[in-house]
Amino acid sequence: MNLDLTGKHALVCGGSQGIGRAAAIELAQLGADVTLLARSPESLQAALAALPKVHSAQSHASIAVDMSDHAALRAKVEAMAIGKPVQILVNNTGGPPGGQAQSAKVEEFLAAFGQHLIANHIVLQAVLPGMRGSGYGRVINVISTSVKEPIKNLGVSNTIRGAVASWSKTLATELGPLGITVNNVLPGYTKTQRLDQILGDRAKASGQSEDAVAKTMLATTPAGRFADASEIGAVIAFLASPAAGYVNGINVLVDGGRTLSL
């Protein structure tokens, strides 16, 4: 199985923490040069220092930019990609706040659409020339199991995640002939700051303790535990590798068996 990413350059959005940071570590361990993208320069520096180097030519970098600032995002990613073409793109952004779809403000949908689908598209367009030029491309979108089954009280997120999944499937058809694959990873309950937020929101809404809420959530998960971010990162790294060259246009559930649909 060819998992070697030596000589490949990966851009990992949301790479300073959580699933993004875990994916960056896994990609670096396979030999890729990794560029982390996130808002906070301080968090980026800490994450950058933790990236492994498995060969002498390997180098890592970071881009500090807010993904909702589309002009700055495009400018910074294009500048980076001109100097060092990207072959692997991991689109990963924190989810919108919770709440029911029926009561969400229009502005909340627009903000989430811009933060996710539009930002993803801007970054893709910036790195696509490098993928075409090298004849190798891997686009991996970290979304949610809500693509398969909407999650209660995540109305805005459910809506936007579905849009990203459809965008991804369309791209897989368009870019497949160029040697570029596009796939989605759908994490289940994963030990990240996002999970902490969900636990807190559900505890507040129900009047239960966070431990009680966690037990209820785990009761729906056959694996009986929350995932470590590294377990999601490992799947992302596999999809980025040459070994996954014939995997294109799919949703990969990494949820311990929680999702009931196929």
Side-chain angles (χ1 to χ4, degrees):
M1 184 183 298
N2 184 3
L3 301 176
D4 185 14
L5 294 177
T6 302
K8 302 293 191 297
H9 179 202
L11 173 62
V12 181
C13 301
S16 66
Q17 62 184 12
I19 290 172
R21 183 171 180 170
I25 290 171
E26 297 293 332
L27 291 165
Q29 287 177 336
L30 295 181
D33 295 345
V34 178
T35 296
L36 305 175
L37 186 151
R39 285 179 298 180
S40 168
E42 294 78 15
S43 297
L44 279 169
Q45 287 307 308
L48 195 61
L51 289 181
K53 292 183 179 179
V54 296
H55 58 83
S56 59
Q58 195 172 14
S59 64
H60 306 309
S62 66
I63 298 174
V65 65
D66 189 331
M67 293 190 74
S68 65
D69 185 345
H70 294 158
L73 177 66
R74 184 183 295 276
K76 290 193 175 187
V77 176
E78 284 182 347
M80 177 272 297
I82 289 172
K84 188 172 184 178
V86 171
Q87 290 80 37
I88 299 162
L89 169 61
V90 180
N91 278 316
N92 171 60
T93 309
Q100 294 189 338
Q102 62 181 321
S103 57
K105 297 178 180 179
V106 170
E107 292 77 14
E108 293 179 78
F109 283 103
L110 291 173
F113 193 76
Q115 183 84 10
H116 291 265
L117 193 143
I118 300 303
N120 289 355
H121 191 63
I122 286 170
V123 176
L124 173 78
Q125 288 185 326
V127 303
L128 199 51
M131 293 183 179
R132 286 196 182 105
S134 63
Y136 187 100
R138 300 286 188 268
V139 181
I140 302 120
N141 306 300
V142 182
I143 314 183
S144 167
T145 59
S146 65
V147 168
K148 293 282 191 177
E149 297 174 1
I151 299 172
K152 187 177 180 180
N153 289 322
L154 289 179
V156 173
S157 180
N158 293 340
T159 305
I160 300 306
R161 304 295 198 181
V164 173
S166 293
W167 169 79
S168 173
K169 183 64 173 178
T170 302
L171 287 173
T173 303
E174 294 177 355
L175 300 178
L178 304 175
I180 300 168
T181 65
V182 187
N183 294 294
N184 302 323
V185 171
L186 314 183
Y189 299 135
T190 307
K191 290 183 282 187
T192 63
Q193 290 182 339
R194 174 66 167 170
L195 179 61
D196 293 339
Q197 177 192 352
I198 291 172
L199 287 171
D201 289 347
R202 292 188 182 183
K204 184 177 180 179
S206 66
Q208 297 178 302
S209 68
E210 289 191 13
D211 284 344
V213 172
K215 287 180 181 178
T216 299
M217 292 167 69
L218 289 175
T220 67
T221 304
R225 62 178 178 84
F226 295 133
D228 289 321
S230 62
E231 294 176 292
I232 316 301
V235 175
I236 292 170
F238 168 72
L239 290 172
S241 74
Y246 207 60
V247 180
N248 191 28
I250 67 167
N251 294 317
V252 183
L253 288 159
V254 192
D255 68 347
R258 181 173 61 84
T259 302
L260 297 178
S261 62
L262 293 174

